[in-house]
Amino acid sequence: MHALVQEGLVSTRQCDASGVPRGHRESLVRSGRLVRVQRAVYDVTPGLGVLAGGPLGAGHDGARRRAAWTGLLAAGPSAIAVGASALALLGVDGLPPVVRPDVAMPGGSRRRPRGSVVVRCFDAGMPVERVGSARVAAPAWAVAQAVCELDRRHAVAVLDSALLRGLVGCGLDDVDAVVRGRRGAARARPWLALADGRAQSPLETWARLECVDDGVPPDELQVPVRDGRGRVVARGDLGWWLRDGRLLVAEIDGAGVHGAPDALFADRTRQNALVAAGVDVLRFTARDLATHGVVSSAIRAHLTR
């Protein structure tokens, strides 16, 4: 079914093609089995919860994909997801919790916006790829479109994630070429130099940016930690070399990943390996990163101790 790959959403066009005409749709809306999201787009999850094996569009990732699908379905089958909407469908991390449904039409044509959907005049000749049945801007273009509109923290996190996933060139020259001349380019282009594809999560990106801003940038990312026989026993998220030659590692724990029992066991094993190798370890969470200066102050205090 269309809804299972569209975060629980279907268009009126798809309903008609599946034998659910307007009158039947209105009846389903009144009964609560169908919810009108906006003109031409319906949510079928009230009747799909069991079939889907769980809620569609759940969590921040699902909500962002759902926004992208809302734009594509509202604008019609020729629409192309662009900017943050395209990145959500491409699986890029680091986006804000809420993204706007952004689409463009082939050839740079424009239509009137529908509800929350923004229909852009973006880039005639823009390369287009497919993610399943969705048409999306090519990754370098989608990244360039997004970073010109995002704030610095989210823009650098998006760049890091796109690099990590191999969606853009390692030097970001392909992104820079699209950024040039765009509205917001003067603000966004310096952020490209801050990107590092070794960051494993947005939290690591934000911790690194905080430390860079506060004058204690890490010496290495994903720093290898070796035991007495020279074997790599772990990798630290962020690393600083201390004056005595030892290593300080900052571990950035995300609740979603590190809260699971298996992850907790793996984290304990990993931390034991770090300590056994003579490494100083500081651990931080998303809560620490919610207030600027918590991470960088702890790092600075340890470095100057």
Side-chain angles (χ1 to χ4, degrees):
M1 294 179 65
H2 293 297
L4 295 179
V5 296
Q6 296 173 177
E7 299 299 329
L9 304 179
V10 294
S11 67
T12 55
R13 186 189 305 267
Q14 291 170 339
C15 289
D16 291 337
S18 300
V20 186
R22 180 176 179 178
H24 191 188
R25 292 197 297 271
E26 295 301 323
S27 175
L28 292 172
V29 169
R30 288 193 295 271
S31 69
R33 296 173 60 192
L34 199 65
V35 176
R36 184 180 289 106
V37 175
Q38 65 161 56
R39 183 184 174 191
V41 182
Y42 293 90
D43 180 1
V44 303
T45 54
L48 270 184
V50 175
L51 178 61
L56 295 169
H60 290 319
D61 289 340
R64 288 185 284 254
R65 292 191 299 269
R66 188 180 176 91
W69 275 112
T70 298
L72 290 171
L73 295 173
S78 61
I80 304 160
V82 296
S85 288
L87 296 181
L89 294 174
L90 287 164
V92 172
D93 294 323
L95 293 166
V98 178
V99 301
R100 183 177 55 198
D102 271 4
V103 299
M105 305 307 293
S109 62
R110 184 169 188 163
R111 296 180 184 173
R112 291 178 61 184
R114 290 189 170 190
S116 62
V117 179
V118 176
V119 183
R120 302 275 193 168
C121 246
F122 266 145
D123 310 312
M126 174 180 64
V128 176
E129 297 185 3
R130 282 197 176 270
V131 178
S133 59
R135 305 177 75 213
V136 304
W141 289 64
V143 169
Q145 292 158 354
V147 298
C148 286
E149 299 185 348
L150 293 172
D151 62 82
R152 178 174 176 259
R153 289 178 90 230
H154 288 101
V156 177
V158 160
L159 290 164
D160 283 1
S161 178
L163 284 166
L164 176 67
R165 294 171 181 272
L167 295 175
V168 294
C170 60
L172 292 175
D173 291 341
D174 48 353
V175 175
D176 187 44
V178 183
V179 166
R180 290 174 182 268
R182 306 184 71 86
R183 179 181 297 178
R187 180 184 66 138
R189 287 190 69 203
W191 300 342
L192 273 61
L194 297 172
D196 194 312
R198 293 174 294 174
Q200 300 285 311
S201 72
L203 291 179
E204 290 182 28
T205 297
W206 298 334
R208 184 180 84 244
L209 286 179
E210 180 180 314
C211 291
V212 168
D213 290 345
D214 289 354
V216 284
D219 297 317
E220 294 190 50
L221 306 184
Q222 303 306 317
V223 55
V225 177
R226 302 180 185 275
D227 63 11
R229 300 198 304 196
R231 298 175 303 178
V232 175
V233 295
R235 289 186 180 272
D237 294 338
L238 309 175
W240 291 259
W241 291 105
L242 302 175
R243 294 173 183 172
D244 59 7
R246 290 181 303 113
L247 181 65
L248 167 64
V249 161
E251 293 284 272
I252 314 300
D253 300 334
V257 175
H258 295 271
D262 288 347
L264 287 172
F265 178 78
D267 284 346
R268 185 181 66 188
T269 302
R270 186 160 165 264
Q271 175 145 340
N272 288 343
L274 292 171
V275 173
V279 173
D280 291 356
V281 181
L282 297 177
R283 302 193 77 96
F284 302 98
T285 67
R287 181 176 295 181
D288 296 314
L289 287 163
T291 303
H292 184 92
V294 171
V295 174
S296 58
S297 295
I299 297 296
R300 184 184 300 281
H302 201 90
L303 292 176
T304 58
R305 189 176 60 184

